[in-house]
Amino acid sequence: MKVLLKTILYISLFAVAFLTAFYLPPYFDKFVNESLEKIETRGQARIETSKAKISAPVQESEFEKTAQYGKLNCQNYENNTLVSGIFERINTDRELNNKKALSWSNLLCQSANLKAENMIENSYFEHVSPSGVTPWYWIDRVEYKYTFSGENLALNYYTSESAHIALMNSPGHKANILNENFTQIGLAYFRGKINNQDAFVIVQHFASPAPEVPPVKYVCETKKAEKNLKDLERDKKKIDNYLKDAEDIKDQIKAAGGDTDEVNDYIDDMEDKKKRVKKYIREIEDYLDECKKLNASN
């Protein structure tokens, strides 16, 4: 939109340069470059990925108890004793290690849900699926934009205490839990079978959201445009007066039987200039309308 406006204004500037050689003031002086300023900020996103997984022997009686957890509702995770317990233990250990607490992310919970369910449905326990799907695919799928991300996987740990202790005793998992670059977490679980064996998988997705990129803003020189518009309207009135005077002179010449070719040329020239001025007026009016829309949207 800015390119279109600027192109129009440059064309106008060229035309006005021709026009002002006759009588109009330079009301577009530096107008094109000063009237529109584009401010754009781009966040330089960095991506750090880390992965770790642990597993424990299947304990039949404990596995059956996992049915009590039901299907995780990310928005009501606090009512789930397993998930809320792990989340609380993670932040306790972060505090003990002088790290900021993680905040809960429903989006990361959703991505963890998708990953956990996919592992059970496709019978694997790996960060990368047999078909080559990486952990970050699931985070991207829920449209979570991140600068850092990590994934922890646990298999067949049935309580928040046993799962967290096992994760903290593993260097890779502990590094993710205490990573100061992470600011949010979402976790989920799924029960089923992997390789025909009972399996209860826990997925932790860590990340820090990417900084929001401010929208492109256009700063309009509204006051200068309004002044230019007044100047153009004033000069349009001048041209109307010139035309009226020229028509009167033409009538007098005709009445005297003289040649009106010269005055006709003058009138044609003034009519052409009037069209140009009216065109510039429309362009500035359009410009001011665009400024109003842009200001309303910013």
Side-chain angles (χ1 to χ4, degrees):
M1 180 163 50
K2 180 192 171 185
V3 174
L4 176 60
L5 280 173
K6 198 164 186 178
T7 301
I8 292 173
L9 291 173
Y10 270 122
I11 294 172
S12 301
L13 180 60
F14 176 78
V16 171
F18 171 79
L19 188 59
T20 54
F22 290 89
Y23 64 91
L24 294 181
Y27 26 67
F28 277 104
D29 182 34
K30 297 183 180 179
F31 178 62
V32 173
N33 288 327
E34 293 180 1
S35 62
L36 287 174
E37 179 183 356
K38 184 177 182 181
I39 302 174
E40 184 173 5
T41 304
R42 295 292 182 194
Q44 298 298 320
R46 295 178 296 156
I47 299 176
E48 176 184 286
T49 58
S50 49
K51 301 172 290 187
K53 66 189 182 86
I54 56 172
S55 61
V58 175
Q59 301 174 36
E60 297 295 340
S61 60
E62 292 297 323
F63 173 78
E64 292 305 320
K65 292 180 182 179
T66 60
Q68 67 179 300
Y69 299 126
K71 185 173 178 61
L72 178 63
N73 182 329
C74 291
Q75 293 182 337
N76 295 323
Y77 75 93
E78 293 174 328
N79 296 327
N80 186 290
T81 56
L82 175 70
V83 172
S84 62
I86 293 175
F87 180 48
E88 182 179 347
R89 291 173 187 276
I90 285 174
N91 276 334
T92 297
D93 274 329
R94 285 180 68 90
E95 183 179 354
L96 291 173
N97 286 273
N98 298 315
K99 309 295 181 184
K100 291 183 178 179
L102 299 175
S103 61
W104 179 264
S105 167
N106 286 332
L107 286 178
L108 291 177
C109 173
Q110 292 170 23
S111 67
N113 252 329
L114 292 171
K115 174 61 180 285
E117 186 172 358
N118 186 261
M119 285 194 293
I120 295 297
E121 288 181 348
N122 293 281
S123 191
Y124 72 96
F125 180 66
E126 299 289 344
H127 291 290
V128 180
S129 75
S131 61
V133 177
T134 68
W136 329 125
Y137 165 80
W138 306 107
I139 298 177
D140 291 336
R141 183 169 165 180
V142 298
E143 298 183 352
Y144 182 103
K145 301 184 185 306
Y146 57 91
T147 52
F148 299 93
S149 61
E151 177 181 82
N152 278 351
L153 302 179
L155 177 64
N156 296 332
Y157 290 91
Y158 308 109
T159 66
S160 61
E161 181 180 13
S162 64
H164 184 69
I165 289 174
L167 290 166
M168 287 298 289
N169 285 335
S170 167
H173 295 83
K174 181 178 180 180
N176 276 344
I177 290 171
L178 300 181
N179 192 324
E180 62 184 7
N181 291 318
F182 298 147
T183 60
Q184 295 187 334
I185 186 175
L187 56 104
Y189 55 81
F190 211 77
R191 67 192 301 269
K193 290 185 179 293
I194 294 179
N195 296 326
N196 296 318
Q197 298 293 320
D198 288 335
F200 183 70
V201 297
I202 296 174
V203 178
Q204 296 177 342
H205 277 173
F206 304 87
S208 57
E212 292 186 8
V213 179
V216 176
K217 295 183 179 179
Y218 297 90
V219 180
C220 296
E221 291 284 352
T222 305
K223 290 184 178 180
K224 181 175 287 188
E226 290 173 345
K227 179 182 181 301
N228 292 339
L229 184 60
K230 288 181 179 179
D231 290 341
L232 284 168
E233 289 172 341
R234 179 199 63 205
D235 289 316
K236 178 178 173 293
K237 290 181 180 179
K238 285 184 179 180
I239 294 175
D240 287 335
N241 290 332
Y242 294 153
L243 284 170
K244 184 177 181 301
D245 291 342
E247 290 291 346
D248 290 342
I249 293 172
K250 179 180 176 181
D251 290 341
Q252 293 174 18
I253 293 174
K254 287 176 67 176
D259 186 357
T260 60
D261 288 346
E262 186 175 347
V263 72
N264 284 335
D265 290 342
Y266 176 82
I267 290 173
D268 289 342
D269 186 52
M270 286 296 106
E271 289 288 359
D272 181 64
K273 288 177 173 56
K274 182 178 178 179
K275 289 180 182 178
R276 290 170 184 259
V277 171
K278 290 174 69 175
K279 175 175 177 289
Y280 305 148
I281 288 174
R282 286 195 302 271
E283 288 172 357
I284 293 185
E285 288 175 339
D286 290 343
Y287 170 79
L288 290 171
D289 287 341
E290 290 295 335
C291 286
K292 289 179 181 178
K293 293 176 183 177
L294 290 168
N295 289 334
S297 64
N298 289 334

